[in-house]
Amino acid sequence: MKAPVRVTVTGAAGQIGYALLFRIASGAMLGDDQPVILHLLDITPAMDALEGVRMELDDCAFPLLAGIVCTDDPNVGFKDADYALLVGARPRGPGMERKDLLEANAAIFSVQGKAINDHASRDIRVLVVGNPANTNALITQRNAPDIDPRNFTAMMRLDHNRAKTQIAQKLDAPVTAVSTMTVWGNHSATQYPDLHHSTVNGKVAVDAVEQQWYEDEFIPTVQQRGAAIIKARGASSAASAANAAIDHMRDWALGTPEGDWVSMGVYSDGSYGIAEGLIYSFPCRCSGGDWSIVQGLEINDFSRGRMQATEQELTEERDAVADLLP
Ligand SMILES: NC(=O)C1=CN([C@@H]2O[C@H](COP(=O)(O)OP(=O)(O)OC[C@H]3O[C@@H](n4cnc5c(N)ncnc54)[C@H](O)[C@@H]3O)[C@@H](O)[C@H]2O)C=CC1
Ligand SMILES: O=C([O-])CC(=O)C(=O)O
């Protein structure tokens, strides 16, 4: 049996937390040979609810769960953390865009970035889920200057999974027939789900559908899926978001399947002309606990325009939080 690793989850008393923790403790994220010590961080008024979550985790008698730390102190929450899932943040309600949360949530991530810098493992792998996820990941990264910027990522996997299901259902194919999906840019309504490089049963997806369906149905459906869930459920996606977080971390830690890739919000190195230093979603392959951006995809004018629009939004979000970026 491997030595236990420490996994910090913020917002652990919230709705995504409730759908996430039991799967991490079961081994779904890091494998069924990897014991975990959970560090559960939330705010002081949530400590009673968090204690209830701890009791339920205990009651599962998970063989891989080697310990639980519940705290409202980020310095304790991130102490020696090997993995962190930053979920704790306000969710949006009907009629809001995710960037409307920037003011309410940004400060959380500067505090947590500093705590990560001061207390976490130097190899910590961080996934930011709390919205607006890409810019919150940027704030976290910039407040943790002693840690490699490549260790900070934002969650685009829910968008990636949504795009896979939409094209699979359109072509009456199983999701397992869909490979090499790409969602570019920001986890927002400007994201660009791109069917030019994805295949369904080996056929290029964009060639298998009408251009009008691609532009007028597929792209907006994926872009607006979060809002559609809020309208239907009266609360934002939780179980699907938790599932995407598990998928993201598992692939990052254990590798993407041979011949496939995934969408991850990662530190831009200037690939595809995207401004360096933004946390932008690219197609990524993972191996040996590291990610790399898939290179050499041909980008046509249609795609280029959309990739630049979502980049532009990320630069505006970055500029809006300039005071939190050391
Ligand atoms: N990137 C993505 O694809 C997705 C992101 N989200 C975002 O995830 C976030 C969480 O969503 P839910 O779990 O539904 O919300 P929730 O309101 O149910 O839970 C949030 C939890 O975070 C806690 N929290 C607030 N400030 C904190 C702080 N400073 N430190 C630690 N914990 C803190 C709250 O007390 C609460 O327990 C929201 O911002 C939501 O918009 C949701 C779905 C998908
Ligand atoms: O839409 C929201 O506010 C929650 C979210 O990020 C998603 O479901 O993609």
Side-chain angles (χ1 to χ4, degrees):
M1 198 55 112
K2 297 178 180 168
V5 292
R6 292 181 186 271
V7 180
T8 303
V9 178
T10 74
Q15 56 154 1
I16 294 175
Y18 197 69
L20 180 61
L21 297 171
F22 299 85
R23 292 188 63 199
I24 299 175
S26 77
M29 187 170 91
L30 296 174
D32 39 13
D33 59 347
Q34 179 58 69
V36 294
I37 298 171
L38 286 174
H39 286 216
L40 309 184
L41 177 67
D42 211 298
I43 53 175
T44 313
M47 286 300 108
D48 284 347
L50 191 59
E51 188 54 29
V53 174
R54 180 222 286 268
M55 289 158 69
E56 283 204 70
L57 282 163
D58 280 344
D59 293 350
C60 295
F62 285 118
L64 290 170
L65 187 53
I68 306 173
V69 176
C70 291
T71 182
D72 56 4
D73 178 352
N75 297 326
V76 175
F78 292 106
K79 178 90 182 114
D80 298 329
D82 301 294
Y83 297 88
L85 295 92
L86 307 193
V87 178
R90 239 184 76 185
R92 66 174 168 158
M96 291 172 78
E97 288 299 330
R98 296 185 189 92
K99 65 182 162 202
D100 298 335
L101 294 168
L102 204 45
E103 208 178 315
N105 289 339
I108 296 173
F109 294 87
S110 62
V111 170
Q112 294 184 357
K114 289 186 179 79
I116 288 170
N117 198 57
D118 292 346
H119 300 286
S121 158
R122 301 301 85 182
D123 296 324
I124 187 171
R125 291 181 177 77
V126 180
L127 169 63
V128 176
V129 174
N131 278 315
N134 302 55
T135 297
N136 288 338
L138 179 72
I139 295 168
T140 311
Q141 180 266 312
R142 293 279 283 270
N143 282 280
D146 301 338
I147 307 231
D148 187 336
R150 293 173 49 83
N151 295 16
F152 296 86
T153 64
M155 192 162 93
M156 295 297 292
R157 187 58 173 268
L158 182 51
D159 312 285
H160 179 96
N161 288 346
R162 287 167 172 163
K164 283 179 75 168
T165 297
Q166 290 302 316
I167 186 66
Q169 289 182 350
K170 170 72 175 173
L171 297 177
D172 209 13
V175 280
T176 49
V178 183
S179 300
T180 57
M181 180 57 71
T182 303
V183 182
W184 303 95
N186 196 6
H187 176 63
S188 76
T190 67
Q191 66 179 260
Y192 172 44
D194 183 353
L195 289 182
H196 291 86
H197 315 290
S198 178
T199 60
V200 181
N201 284 320
K203 194 168 174 210
V204 176
V206 78
D207 297 339
V209 297
E210 317 82 63
Q211 183 68 18
Q212 196 188 347
W213 178 83
Y214 178 44
E215 287 184 42
D216 297 346
E217 301 278 339
F218 174 79
I219 295 174
T221 298
V222 177
Q223 288 174 330
Q224 296 295 339
R225 187 67 162 187
I229 305 270
I230 292 170
K231 189 156 175 273
R233 233 170 66 81
S236 61
S237 338
S240 57
N243 179 68
I246 297 274
D247 283 354
H248 176 113
M249 283 306 220
R250 185 197 57 228
D251 286 349
W252 189 3
L254 304 179
T256 40
E258 189 64 34
D260 205 356
W261 67 61
V262 296
S263 306
M264 295 171 69
V266 295
Y267 187 82
S268 171
D269 62 355
S271 291
Y272 296 98
I274 302 305
E276 223 178 308
L278 289 178
I279 305 285
Y280 186 96
S281 179
F282 291 96
C284 291
R285 289 196 185 93
C286 304
S287 162
D290 200 6
W291 54 263
S292 59
I293 296 172
V294 175
Q295 298 294 335
L297 300 178
E298 210 171 297
I299 307 297
N300 65 17
D301 289 345
F302 178 89
S303 294
R304 176 63 59 196
R306 279 158 185 76
M307 288 163 66
Q308 285 173 343
T310 190
E311 177 191 19
Q312 175 62 30
E313 183 183 44
L314 280 170
T315 54
E316 286 165 13
E317 288 184 20
R318 179 194 63 196
D319 294 346
V321 295
D323 55 326
L324 292 174
L325 302 176

